Amino acid sequence: MIKVLFVCLGNICRSPAAEGFFRREAKRRRLEDRVAIDSAAIGAWHVGEPPDRRAQSACLRRGVDIASQRARRIAPSDADAFDYIVAMDSAILEALASELPAGRAETKLLLDYATPPGRDVPDPYYGTADDFELMLDLVEEGVEALVSEIERRL
Ligand code: 4NP
């Protein structure tokens, strides 16, 4: 079983979207019994809440339902519980380095798995509907690349 944790600032926009798209792509490739997927926040503001309404509807328009997800914070135990910890932008990657103990998880940006690597998935929270669409374009690109990497490993 390969375990993947997506992390963003609030766990109500980007990382729930990544979790939803990853789950769909894993199912498409018949890997759903071989991967476990979760998402979490750096900040505690939205703990226990469902994803942002704008994120929910943008995902739903692309056929992905994320309504049942609930936000949680990262926990120290995550560092050893997951194989991949996937940060949505470079500020999140830095926060993970300072907030989580060293563990077995490979911790990188989502778009490090895509070409070119090193890009951020920008935070859409204070943005427009277009920013949510751009966020999902990048999430889909990164998730596709990450699922391919995991498929090769399995
Ligand atoms: P996310 O977006 O990190 O993609 O979930 C945000 C959600 C909430 C806040 C910031 C970003 N916030 O400041 O409450």
Side-chain angles (χ1 to χ4, degrees):
M1 188 70 106
I2 303 261
K3 299 181 74 181
V4 183
L5 179 68
F6 295 102
V7 183
C8 63
L9 193 53
N11 193 208
I12 55 168
C13 298
R14 293 168 291 173
S15 60
E19 180 181 340
F21 279 93
F22 189 103
R23 189 161 278 128
R24 177 171 76 177
E25 190 56 28
K27 201 167 184 181
R28 253 186 203 156
R29 302 189 196 202
R30 309 208 185 290
L31 301 175
E32 69 266 34
D33 297 333
R34 305 172 75 186
V35 293
I37 311 140
D38 195 5
S39 64
I42 294 292
W45 314 287
H46 298 284
V47 167
E49 293 178 15
D52 181 281
R53 272 197 205 135
R54 298 163 296 170
Q56 285 195 44
S57 37
C59 285
L60 209 49
R61 282 195 296 274
R62 299 187 189 204
V64 171
D65 187 347
I66 60 169
S68 65
Q69 294 186 38
R70 294 295 177 269
R72 74 162 175 94
R73 269 211 83 219
I74 52 163
S77 56
D78 289 333
D80 262 334
F82 289 89
D83 301 284
Y84 293 88
I85 297 181
V86 183
M88 307 306 289
D89 66 36
S90 45
I92 302 294
L93 195 59
E94 279 174 30
L96 285 169
S98 62
E99 295 206 18
L100 287 187
R104 67 186 182 90
E106 171 175 300
T107 303
K108 297 212 285 193
L109 291 176
L110 176 63
L111 287 169
D112 279 342
Y113 297 98
T115 310
R119 288 170 292 154
D120 286 344
V121 178
D123 182 354
Y125 190 67
Y126 293 105
T128 63
D130 282 350
D131 295 314
F132 277 83
E133 293 306 318
L134 172 67
M135 180 271 282
L136 291 189
D137 291 345
L138 294 170
V139 161
E140 288 205 61
E141 182 185 346
V143 159
E144 178 85 23
L146 177 58
V147 176
S148 294
E149 147 116 7
I150 289 172
E151 191 171 33
R152 282 192 292 274
R153 214 178 121 172
L154 279 169

